[in-house]
Structure formats: C-alpha cells, structure tokens
C-alpha cells in the first residue's frame, strides 16, 4: 500500500479525486492510503437527513455518496482515506469496517487510551470518566429506544450535561467512519479527532445521534501532534489493510 501524507486540503476536491482514482483504477493498480485534514466542513452521507444539521452557520455542508449521516471535519483531525481493492485484499466489507475500527483502537492504545466499539453505531468511543481504563464496556447496542432523550419526546433539548440513560451514556465519540465501495474498491474512510475546535459538532447531531458527545485526544488529556497521530494511524491501517 502506498501511504500518502497529504496534509491540509479542501474537502470537495479530495472527494472528487477519490472518485476519479477509483473509477480509473485497474486490477493491478496499487492500493493507496491518503492522510489529510480539512478546513471546516460538514459532510452528509447517503442516509443523511437535513434536520440533523441544526445550525451550519458559515460552515459548508457537502452531500456525499458515503454511508452514514452527518459529521464534521476540521483542522486538528486526522482523516484517513484507504483506497483498497477488497477483492484483491481477500476480505469483505464487514471485515473491512472491523479492520478500520481496529486500526483506530490500536492507534489509541499507543497513546494509552482505550477505544471501544458499540454495536449498531460504527466508530470508536472512549469512557469520559476514565479514557485510560482497560476495563471492557458492558455490551451495548444502539436501537431507536436506546438513544431516546428528553428532546426526542417533544421536550426541550438539554445541552448542559444532564445525565442520559442511553447507549452512549458516559461515552464520547473520538473517531467516525463512513465508506463507499465501488466495483469492490473502497474510498472515503475514517476520521480521528486529535486536537480540534469541537464547537461545530454541537451544531449537528453527530452521525445522526442527538446529544452524542464528541471528544478528541486533547480533551481527554493526551498531548500529541497531528503528525504523530497521522503517522500512528497510517502505520496501523497499512498493517491491517494490506493483503
């Protein structure tokens, strides 16, 4: 796999470049991994609903063909775009998603942070009270009832940190993923929050979940540069995704 540290680039031209690369690749085209960050932008997946963007303000909203709903990209976030031929790699989409998540979990482990999966909610989460704890989470599964909060019952939304009895209680999302597979080849990918301005996440329902808290490494007390995090994530993705 060819790893390309690109740095900060605009989102839309990068999205278009991924589409062009995927459409033009042949059976022997080497896989690539693009590591970058974007200026502020909200991106909507194919399942995206307009009501999940509550206040975009001056930040552009870009419709995409990836899976999932709305997320935010901005400076201080490592965005990894693996361009992988799954047929040649020898595994299917479900395994690919597992490997993306595993790469994030292993990356976090290099910084002594424990990442967690939640069934039905792709991405990686950390304990807000103790992100360095190695204790496993009790099994959680996201269902419509498990994400129900007071704002979903016709009452006012609470943004003051009120306790919530749902699948995300006590957790913060530190990495989001959304992919597209065309002719057995992947694009889009995974975003790891390193040291960001997290305020724009408060203008959306991240990944379609009202009230889901979003965190970064800086917020949980890990001081690491974008370059260090990108190198660590790139190394793990290269190891886990290469045939």
């Amino acid at each position: 796999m060819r790893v390309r540290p690109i740095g900060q680039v605009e989102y839309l031209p990068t999205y278009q470049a991924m589409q062009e690369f995927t459409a033009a690749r042949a059976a022997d085209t080497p896989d690539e991994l693009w590591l970058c960050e974007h200026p502020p932008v909200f991106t909507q997946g194919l399942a995206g609903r307009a009501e999940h963007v509550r206040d975009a303000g001056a930040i552009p909203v870009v419709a995409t063909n990836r899976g999932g709903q709305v997320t935010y990209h901005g400076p201080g976030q490592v965005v990894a775009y693996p361009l992988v031929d799954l047929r040649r790699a020898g595994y299917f989409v479900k395994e690919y998603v597992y490997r993306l998540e595993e790469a994030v979990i292993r990356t976090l482990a290099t910084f002594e942070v424990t990442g967690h999966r939640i069934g039905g909610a792709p991405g990686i989460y950390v304990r807000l009270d103790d992100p360095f704890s190695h204790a496993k989470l009790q099994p959680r599964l996201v269902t419509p009832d498990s994400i129900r909060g007071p704002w979903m019952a016709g009452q006012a939304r609470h943004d003051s940190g009120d306790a919530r009895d749902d699948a995300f209680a006590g957790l913060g999302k530190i990495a989001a993923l959304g992919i597209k597979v065309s002719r057995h080849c992947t694009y889009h990918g995974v975003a790891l929050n390193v040291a960001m301005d997290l305020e724009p996440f408060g203008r959306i329902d991240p990944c379609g979940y009202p009230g889901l808290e979003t965190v970064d490494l800086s917020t949980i007390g890990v001081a690491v540069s974008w370059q260090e995090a990108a190198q660590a994530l790139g190394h793990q993705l290269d190891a886990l995704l290469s045939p």
Side-chain angles (χ1 to χ4, degrees), residues 20-47:
E20 292 166 1
F21 176 92
T22 302
R25 66 181 301 168
D28 59 350
T29 301
D31 293 337
E32 296 195 358
L33 172 61
W34 299 356
L35 298 169
C36 59
E37 64 179 338
H38 298 302
V41 61
F42 295 117
T43 67
Q44 277 277 29
L46 290 172

Short mmCIF file of all heavy atoms in Angstrom, two decimals, residues 20-47:
data_model
loop_
_atom_site.label_atom_id
_atom_site.label_comp_id
_atom_site.label_asym_id
_atom_site.label_seq_id
_atom_site.Cartn_x
_atom_site.Cartn_y
_atom_site.Cartn_z
N GLU A 20 -12.33 9.79 -8.83
CA GLU A 20 -11.60 9.63 -10.09
C GLU A 20 -10.58 8.51 -10.01
O GLU A 20 -10.42 7.71 -10.94
CB GLU A 20 -10.91 10.96 -10.45
CG GLU A 20 -11.90 12.05 -10.82
CD GLU A 20 -11.27 13.44 -10.85
OE1 GLU A 20 -10.04 13.54 -10.61
OE2 GLU A 20 -12.01 14.41 -11.10
N PHE A 21 -9.86 8.43 -8.87
CA PHE A 21 -8.88 7.37 -8.68
C PHE A 21 -9.56 6.01 -8.75
O PHE A 21 -9.08 5.08 -9.42
CB PHE A 21 -8.18 7.54 -7.32
CG PHE A 21 -7.21 6.44 -6.99
CD1 PHE A 21 -5.87 6.56 -7.32
CD2 PHE A 21 -7.63 5.29 -6.33
CE1 PHE A 21 -4.96 5.54 -7.02
CE2 PHE A 21 -6.73 4.27 -6.01
CZ PHE A 21 -5.40 4.41 -6.36
N THR A 22 -10.71 5.88 -8.07
CA THR A 22 -11.41 4.61 -8.01
C THR A 22 -11.97 4.22 -9.38
O THR A 22 -11.92 3.05 -9.78
CB THR A 22 -12.54 4.68 -6.97
OG1 THR A 22 -11.97 5.02 -5.70
CG2 THR A 22 -13.28 3.36 -6.84
N ALA A 23 -12.51 5.20 -10.11
CA ALA A 23 -13.08 4.90 -11.42
C ALA A 23 -12.00 4.50 -12.42
O ALA A 23 -12.25 3.69 -13.32
CB ALA A 23 -13.84 6.13 -11.94
N ALA A 24 -10.79 5.04 -12.27
CA ALA A 24 -9.73 4.80 -13.25
C ALA A 24 -8.86 3.60 -12.91
O ALA A 24 -8.11 3.13 -13.78
CB ALA A 24 -8.85 6.04 -13.36
N ARG A 25 -8.95 3.07 -11.69
CA ARG A 25 -8.00 2.04 -11.30
C ARG A 25 -8.27 0.72 -12.02
O ARG A 25 -9.41 0.38 -12.34
CB ARG A 25 -7.98 1.84 -9.78
CG ARG A 25 -9.22 1.29 -9.15
CD ARG A 25 -9.04 1.19 -7.63
NE ARG A 25 -7.92 0.32 -7.27
CZ ARG A 25 -7.40 0.22 -6.04
NH1 ARG A 25 -7.88 0.94 -5.05
NH2 ARG A 25 -6.40 -0.60 -5.81
N ALA A 26 -7.19 0.00 -12.29
CA ALA A 26 -7.26 -1.30 -12.94
C ALA A 26 -6.98 -2.39 -11.90
O ALA A 26 -6.72 -2.10 -10.73
CB ALA A 26 -6.24 -1.37 -14.08
N ALA A 27 -7.02 -3.65 -12.35
CA ALA A 27 -6.83 -4.77 -11.43
C ALA A 27 -5.47 -4.74 -10.75
O ALA A 27 -5.32 -5.25 -9.63
CB ALA A 27 -7.03 -6.08 -12.18
N ASP A 28 -4.48 -4.14 -11.41
CA ASP A 28 -3.13 -4.12 -10.84
C ASP A 28 -2.75 -2.77 -10.24
O ASP A 28 -1.60 -2.55 -9.87
CB ASP A 28 -2.09 -4.52 -11.89
CG ASP A 28 -2.10 -3.59 -13.10
OD1 ASP A 28 -3.03 -2.74 -13.21
OD2 ASP A 28 -1.18 -3.69 -13.94
N THR A 29 -3.71 -1.85 -10.12
CA THR A 29 -3.42 -0.54 -9.52
C THR A 29 -3.11 -0.72 -8.03
O THR A 29 -3.91 -1.30 -7.30
CB THR A 29 -4.61 0.41 -9.67
OG1 THR A 29 -4.92 0.58 -11.05
CG2 THR A 29 -4.30 1.77 -9.05
N PRO A 30 -1.96 -0.24 -7.57
CA PRO A 30 -1.64 -0.39 -6.15
C PRO A 30 -2.66 0.36 -5.27
O PRO A 30 -3.15 1.42 -5.63
CB PRO A 30 -0.24 0.24 -6.04
CG PRO A 30 0.33 0.20 -7.41
CD PRO A 30 -0.85 0.37 -8.33
N ASP A 31 -2.94 -0.22 -4.12
CA ASP A 31 -3.79 0.46 -3.14
C ASP A 31 -3.04 1.67 -2.59
O ASP A 31 -1.81 1.71 -2.56
CB ASP A 31 -4.13 -0.48 -1.99
CG ASP A 31 -5.02 -1.63 -2.41
OD1 ASP A 31 -5.72 -1.50 -3.43
OD2 ASP A 31 -5.00 -2.67 -1.71
N GLU A 32 -3.82 2.68 -2.16
CA GLU A 32 -3.23 3.87 -1.58
C GLU A 32 -3.95 4.21 -0.27
O GLU A 32 -5.10 3.83 -0.06
CB GLU A 32 -3.30 5.06 -2.53
CG GLU A 32 -2.48 4.88 -3.80
CD GLU A 32 -2.27 6.17 -4.57
OE1 GLU A 32 -2.79 7.23 -4.14
OE2 GLU A 32 -1.59 6.13 -5.61
N LEU A 33 -3.25 4.96 0.58
CA LEU A 33 -3.82 5.49 1.82
C LEU A 33 -3.49 6.96 1.88
O LEU A 33 -2.32 7.33 1.95
CB LEU A 33 -3.24 4.76 3.02
CG LEU A 33 -3.60 5.32 4.41
CD1 LEU A 33 -5.10 5.27 4.64
CD2 LEU A 33 -2.86 4.57 5.50
N TRP A 34 -4.51 7.80 1.84
CA TRP A 34 -4.32 9.25 1.90
C TRP A 34 -4.58 9.71 3.32
O TRP A 34 -5.63 9.40 3.92
CB TRP A 34 -5.28 9.96 0.95
CG TRP A 34 -5.12 9.59 -0.50
CD1 TRP A 34 -4.19 8.75 -1.06
CD2 TRP A 34 -5.94 10.04 -1.59
NE1 TRP A 34 -4.37 8.66 -2.41
CE2 TRP A 34 -5.44 9.44 -2.78
CE3 TRP A 34 -7.04 10.88 -1.68
CZ2 TRP A 34 -6.02 9.66 -4.03
CZ3 TRP A 34 -7.62 11.11 -2.92
CH2 TRP A 34 -7.10 10.51 -4.09
N LEU A 35 -3.64 10.45 3.88
CA LEU A 35 -3.75 11.00 5.23
C LEU A 35 -3.81 12.52 5.14
O LEU A 35 -2.87 13.14 4.62
CB LEU A 35 -2.56 10.57 6.09
CG LEU A 35 -2.41 9.07 6.31
CD1 LEU A 35 -1.06 8.75 6.93
CD2 LEU A 35 -3.54 8.52 7.18
N CYS A 36 -4.89 13.12 5.61
CA CYS A 36 -5.05 14.56 5.42
C CYS A 36 -5.90 15.15 6.55
O CYS A 36 -6.37 14.45 7.45
CB CYS A 36 -5.69 14.84 4.07
SG CYS A 36 -7.32 14.09 3.83
N GLU A 37 -6.07 16.45 6.50
CA GLU A 37 -7.04 17.15 7.32
C GLU A 37 -7.72 18.19 6.43
O GLU A 37 -7.18 18.57 5.39
CB GLU A 37 -6.39 17.80 8.55
CG GLU A 37 -5.39 18.89 8.24
CD GLU A 37 -4.80 19.50 9.51
OE1 GLU A 37 -5.41 19.42 10.58
OE2 GLU A 37 -3.71 20.11 9.40
N HIS A 38 -8.89 18.62 6.83
CA HIS A 38 -9.68 19.52 6.00
C HIS A 38 -10.00 20.81 6.74
O HIS A 38 -10.14 20.81 7.97
CB HIS A 38 -11.00 18.86 5.59
CG HIS A 38 -10.84 17.63 4.76
ND1 HIS A 38 -10.16 17.62 3.57
CD2 HIS A 38 -11.27 16.35 4.96
CE1 HIS A 38 -10.20 16.40 3.06
NE2 HIS A 38 -10.86 15.61 3.89
N PRO A 39 -10.16 21.91 6.01
CA PRO A 39 -10.77 23.10 6.61
C PRO A 39 -12.20 22.75 7.05
O PRO A 39 -12.75 21.74 6.61
CB PRO A 39 -10.76 24.12 5.46
CG PRO A 39 -9.75 23.62 4.50
CD PRO A 39 -9.78 22.13 4.60
N PRO A 40 -12.83 23.58 7.90
CA PRO A 40 -14.15 23.23 8.43
C PRO A 40 -15.17 22.89 7.35
O PRO A 40 -15.37 23.65 6.40
CB PRO A 40 -14.55 24.49 9.20
CG PRO A 40 -13.23 25.07 9.64
CD PRO A 40 -12.30 24.82 8.49
N VAL A 41 -15.82 21.74 7.51
CA VAL A 41 -16.85 21.31 6.56
C VAL A 41 -17.72 20.25 7.24
O VAL A 41 -17.24 19.42 8.01
CB VAL A 41 -16.22 20.72 5.27
CG1 VAL A 41 -15.36 19.49 5.56
CG2 VAL A 41 -17.27 20.41 4.22
N PHE A 42 -19.03 20.32 6.99
CA PHE A 42 -19.94 19.26 7.37
C PHE A 42 -20.17 18.38 6.14
O PHE A 42 -20.38 18.91 5.04
CB PHE A 42 -21.29 19.81 7.84
CG PHE A 42 -21.22 20.63 9.10
CD1 PHE A 42 -21.58 21.97 9.10
CD2 PHE A 42 -20.82 20.05 10.30
CE1 PHE A 42 -21.53 22.72 10.25
CE2 PHE A 42 -20.76 20.79 11.47
CZ PHE A 42 -21.12 22.13 11.44
N THR A 43 -20.13 17.07 6.32
CA THR A 43 -20.41 16.18 5.19
C THR A 43 -21.60 15.29 5.53
O THR A 43 -21.70 14.77 6.65
CB THR A 43 -19.20 15.31 4.83
OG1 THR A 43 -18.92 14.38 5.88
CG2 THR A 43 -17.97 16.19 4.58
N GLN A 44 -22.50 15.15 4.56
CA GLN A 44 -23.69 14.33 4.72
C GLN A 44 -23.50 13.02 3.96
O GLN A 44 -23.09 13.03 2.81
CB GLN A 44 -24.93 15.05 4.17
CG GLN A 44 -25.56 16.04 5.12
CD GLN A 44 -26.51 15.38 6.11
OE1 GLN A 44 -26.33 14.22 6.48
NE2 GLN A 44 -27.50 16.12 6.57
N GLY A 45 -23.83 11.90 4.60
CA GLY A 45 -23.83 10.61 3.92
C GLY A 45 -25.14 10.37 3.21
O GLY A 45 -26.07 11.19 3.25
N LEU A 46 -25.25 9.23 2.57
CA LEU A 46 -26.45 8.91 1.79
C LEU A 46 -27.70 8.84 2.66
O LEU A 46 -28.80 9.11 2.20
CB LEU A 46 -26.24 7.57 1.06
CG LEU A 46 -25.24 7.59 -0.09
CD1 LEU A 46 -24.99 6.17 -0.58
CD2 LEU A 46 -25.74 8.46 -1.23
N ALA A 47 -27.53 8.47 3.92
CA ALA A 47 -28.67 8.38 4.84
C ALA A 47 -28.94 9.70 5.55
O ALA A 47 -29.83 9.78 6.39
CB ALA A 47 -28.43 7.27 5.87
#
